[in-house]
Amino acid sequence: MPTFVLRRLLWLPVLLVIVSFVTFVLGHYGPGDPAEVRLGERATPEAVALVREQLGLDRPFFVQYGSYLADAARGDLGDSFAFRGRTVSELVFPKIWVSVQLGLAAMLIAVSLGIPLGLIAAYQQGRWLDTALVSLTLFFLSTPVFISAPFLILFLAVQLGLLPVSGWDGLFSASIVMPALVMGLPGVAGVVRLTRASAIDVLGQDYVRTARAKGLTEATVQVRHVLRNALTPLITVLGLSLATLVEGAFITETIFGIPGIGRLAVESIFSRDYPVIMALVLIVASAFVVANMVVDVLYGFVDPRTRQEMGAYGAR
Amino acid sequence: MAHVERGPIADIDDAAQTDEQRRSRGPWARAALELLRRPKAVFGIAVIVLLYGGGVLAPVLAPYGFDDQDLLAAREGPSADHLLGTDFVGRDVLSRVIYSLRTNLIVTATAVATGSLALGITLGLMAGYFGKRVDTAVMRMGEVFLAFPGLLLVILLAATVRPRVLEWVRGLEDATGIYGLAQWGVADYLVVFGALAVFSWVGVARLVRGQVIQLKAMPFVEASKTTGATAPRLILKHLLPNALPPVIVVVTMGMGAIAGAEVVLSWLGIGIQHPVPSLGSMIREGQDVSILRNQPHLILPPVIVVGLLVFAWNLLGDALNDVLNPRAR
């Protein structure tokens, strides 16, 4: 067990370095010469040369990458192209908390609706309720965010006037309901399907039959043997749903006018604000790597069987 | 294909068929028949054929060109002339939806063929068959790609590499003397399909690797090795056909996601660009509360088409999963 955790943890910094390297190369050199990108197409060669020197672009490649890493570690992610005189950190960090709140609300919806519905589907396996739930979840899984959002706005806000069309007033307000629903519904579908599959699997296991055979009450069997084992795979959802939430955040936050990192990312892409794009990718990818690592290690604790199977490659 | 009988699809058993019938058909034909007996598969296939078929036949089917503007008839509701109405510069919405499906088909098909299929299967076979260093290299590379949340990597690639690719395509125009490449969106297609292909190979490669490692230990593979089968023969005749069923399921399930990713990229403005039509840019143009209230015909058609398309792929994937029944992941 300790070697398993250790191996995963040693791999973490390596992954983070690779992630930062890919981001650096793509963000810095992908769009063309950084100095020209910053000055625009009509810049004189002298101005370009001057900016190159100011930005330190005349230094060797790895020196530049090294100083980028060192700056990033100190929280200095450069200056925004689009918002003159503002650093990327000023722009990005306040918005992270907004997106985290929205993501938590969405995840809460996914888990609190998904687990009961998944268990119901499993116990009703093959009956009409199960079929209905499974098709319904497939439908929600197939509904991209920018499809459910306009429909919800049209009905709940425009026609019924129940909720505000857009805006952001924090976690405990009416304005979070629609965006959280929009982001949470595909999650509900995912959790239902996973819970159903694993509960059906567990219900057919020998140890459940054994538990019943040795005379345990049905309640004990259900709680201690079925539920506990059926819900372990849900840990992976924590890691995977982070990716889904980030992807959903781009569109949801833009449509509902929420000042989070998703909307900032979309705006930065439109204004070609590369330092902001790079910073967001770096932060989100790092969070993603850490979350996956945590999931893998947790999974190793909860289900000893996976430790050997996974080796160094993770649960996915 | 003699050994395919031992693959996962050999488990399919159908009481409705007599033994004789069962023996007379190959496993693939039986799987196909089994699939066609499921309503959700038939529905999925029908929707996909209808939508993408319309896209392929766009020049014939669409009543207008995708960029024909009629400013005098802008923002009109559905009528006999324009079945789904017109957009804000008087372009026919139905024609734009049909041409957008062609755009989506081109991007999705190229990305899946190169990324999921060519790259994914080849790398997976190599990792599984050769093992050791090759395996480590491929799997570590995959883990790096998985370190980025999928769509984010695609967005990063598309946003940053796009100016470079555009420059390159312009250079290509000068070098070959064929002009219009940049204008007709060749650069967009390259950027979008490249970004999607780069990230879609990992899942397939992992799956194929796992299958190959299991199959390598099977007696029939050992047997043909002992009788002197060469590596290419082993891989192509024995390992690949037996590893395919779950791959088909996973690729089909991923098709909806890739088709949807094209829409998202174009919606973000870093995918397919004006004037080439895309469902994503159509949704973006129609996405405004006042349009939603007053001209829902602008946004509903692209939204419903995207939803149907993704739903159809997922249904088909689900049905295939039931039929080919790979070991649960």
Side-chain angles (χ1 to χ4, degrees):
Chain A
M1 188 67 208
T3 48
F4 163 75
V5 175
L6 200 66
R7 217 166 16 165
R8 296 302 296 159
L9 288 182
L10 281 177
W11 183 224
L12 181 68
V14 179
L15 264 185
L16 287 179
V17 166
I18 297 174
V19 163
S20 67
F21 186 74
V22 171
T23 316
F24 175 73
V25 170
L26 279 177
H28 225 61
Y29 296 97
D33 186 328
E36 282 175 28
V37 169
R38 187 170 275 219
L39 290 170
E41 282 174 15
R42 286 165 202 216
T44 59
E46 292 80 29
V48 171
L50 190 68
V51 171
R52 286 185 71 86
E53 209 183 306
Q54 279 172 357
L55 294 176
L57 292 170
D58 43 0
R59 294 175 299 167
F61 174 80
F62 279 100
V63 175
Q64 290 187 47
Y65 171 61
S67 71
Y68 168 77
L69 264 193
D71 287 346
R74 277 187 276 115
D76 175 8
L77 293 158
D79 298 325
S80 162
F81 284 0
F83 299 90
R84 299 239 163 224
R86 302 196 54 186
T87 65
V88 174
S89 313
E90 272 170 34
L91 278 172
V92 171
F93 286 115
K95 293 185 182 346
I96 291 180
W97 176 228
V98 173
S99 297
V100 167
Q101 284 176 304
L102 183 60
L104 282 178
M107 214 185 256
L108 195 71
I109 292 178
V111 173
S112 60
L113 283 178
I115 292 179
L117 288 178
L119 289 175
I120 292 174
Y123 286 117
Q124 297 283 319
Q125 192 194 356
R127 307 217 187 113
W128 69 269
L129 190 60
D130 176 42
T131 318
L133 275 172
V134 167
S135 348
L136 201 66
T137 53
L138 199 64
F139 178 75
F140 279 120
L141 266 186
S142 316
T143 314
V145 167
F146 50 63
I147 295 178
S148 49
F151 274 102
L152 273 182
I153 294 180
L154 198 59
F155 288 118
L156 294 180
V158 176
Q159 304 227 307
L160 299 175
L162 288 175
L163 296 163
V165 171
S166 63
W168 175 253
D169 309 298
L171 189 54
F172 302 100
S173 66
S175 58
I176 202 176
V177 176
M178 273 200 292
L181 262 184
V182 163
M183 279 169 70
L185 280 181
V188 174
V191 174
V192 168
R193 293 173 78 82
L194 194 63
T195 312
R196 176 183 177 273
S198 87
I200 287 176
D201 184 45
V202 171
L203 283 170
Q205 293 288 330
D206 289 342
Y207 58 75
V208 173
R209 199 182 46 196
T210 311
R212 285 206 179 106
K214 72 182 183 187
L216 293 182
T217 61
E218 189 59 23
T220 318
V221 174
Q222 290 300 338
V223 174
R224 199 173 299 160
H225 295 270
V226 177
L227 264 189
R228 247 189 86 175
N229 289 304
L231 295 185
T232 23
L234 279 175
I235 296 174
T236 43
V237 171
L238 289 175
L240 287 180
S241 61
L242 186 66
T244 327
L245 287 178
V246 168
E247 285 166 17
F250 286 106
I251 303 157
T252 314
E253 291 181 3
T254 307
I255 293 179
F256 290 100
I258 295 166
I261 53 170
R263 195 173 76 159
L264 180 66
V266 173
E267 287 170 354
S268 310
I269 290 168
F270 273 103
S271 58
R272 305 270 177 265
D273 200 345
Y274 294 110
V276 176
I277 302 178
M278 280 163 70
L280 288 172
V281 171
L282 192 65
I283 292 169
V284 173
S286 306
F288 191 62
V289 168
V290 174
N292 276 329
M293 200 71 56
V294 170
V295 166
D296 283 354
V297 172
L298 266 183
Y299 216 91
F301 272 113
V302 180
D303 188 349
R305 281 173 305 179
T306 51
R307 270 175 240 156
Q308 287 173 338
E309 284 170 28
M310 290 193 308
Y313 298 131
R316 281 165 305 136
Chain B
M1 295 279 263
H3 295 295
V4 173
E5 290 289 336
R6 296 175 204 233
I9 43 177
D11 298 337
I12 298 162
D13 207 18
D14 193 343
Q17 286 182 318
T18 64
D19 282 351
E20 205 178 323
Q21 273 178 318
R22 220 175 294 149
R23 244 176 277 124
S24 66
R25 297 196 191 97
W28 293 107
R30 265 189 284 132
L33 274 178
E34 176 79 7
L35 188 69
L36 287 177
R37 219 174 288 135
R38 286 161 201 268
K40 55 182 177 180
V42 174
F43 177 80
I45 293 172
V47 170
I48 292 162
V49 168
L50 191 76
L51 291 179
Y52 278 156
V56 171
L57 298 175
V60 188
L61 281 181
Y64 299 88
F66 59 78
D67 205 25
D68 292 353
Q69 303 183 1
D70 182 358
L71 290 168
L72 292 175
R75 288 178 189 260
E76 276 182 1
S79 65
D81 280 348
H82 301 279
L83 286 177
L84 294 175
T86 55
D87 71 0
F88 62 105
V89 285
R91 293 174 297 193
D92 185 52
V93 173
L94 176 64
S95 307
R96 283 182 72 71
V97 168
I98 295 175
Y99 274 102
S100 295
L101 281 165
R102 185 176 70 172
T103 308
N104 189 279
L105 174 63
I106 295 173
V107 172
T108 313
T110 45
V112 170
T114 54
S116 301
L117 297 179
L119 260 181
I121 292 182
T122 313
L123 289 175
L125 279 174
M126 279 169 52
Y129 186 80
F130 295 109
K132 293 180 193 128
R133 294 250 170 99
V134 184
D135 186 24
T136 313
V138 171
M139 286 300 107
R140 293 285 177 189
M141 202 159 71
E143 190 159 0
V144 169
F145 278 98
L146 284 183
F148 292 90
L151 193 65
L152 197 68
L153 180 64
V154 175
I155 287 174
L156 179 70
L157 269 173
T160 55
V161 175
R162 143 176 293 285
R164 277 278 165 99
V165 175
L166 207 60
E167 210 170 277
W168 181 76
V169 169
R170 292 225 173 91
L172 194 71
E173 279 183 343
D174 291 337
T176 56
I178 307 169
Y179 287 92
L181 291 176
Q183 197 196 336
W184 292 108
V186 172
D188 304 332
Y189 285 123
L190 281 177
V191 169
V192 176
F193 119 77
L196 290 174
V198 156
F199 117 99
S200 63
W201 67 269
V202 185
V204 175
R206 287 186 161 202
L207 185 66
V208 172
R209 165 186 176 269
Q211 290 281 314
V212 169
I213 288 176
Q214 280 181 4
L215 288 167
K216 261 203 318 193
M218 296 258 201
F220 75 89
V221 176
E222 301 236 324
S224 74
K225 216 187 238 170
T226 358
T227 53
T230 55
R233 188 186 159 80
L234 261 180
I235 292 177
L236 292 178
K237 281 262 172 187
H238 300 303
L239 298 177
L240 184 59
N242 283 290
L244 269 185
V247 173
I248 294 172
V249 173
V250 166
V251 170
T252 310
M253 285 181 159
M255 289 292 278
I258 290 180
E262 184 272 310
V263 177
V264 172
L265 283 181
S266 305
W267 183 87
L268 284 170
I270 47 178
I272 306 300
Q273 308 278 321
H274 179 84
V276 182
S278 156
L279 294 164
S281 48
M282 289 186 75
I283 293 173
R284 175 142 208 128
E285 285 161 10
Q287 194 174 65
D288 184 85
V289 178
S290 81
I291 291 180
L292 219 51
R293 198 190 312 239
N294 303 319
Q295 286 120 357
H297 67 272
L298 285 186
I299 187 160
L300 290 185
V303 157
I304 291 171
V305 164
V306 177
L308 262 180
L309 192 59
V310 179
F311 188 47
W313 277 120
N314 284 352
L315 269 183
L316 183 60
D318 222 37
L320 273 170
N321 189 32
D322 295 345
V323 172
L324 298 176
N325 195 25
R327 271 158 226 111
R329 288 201 306 151

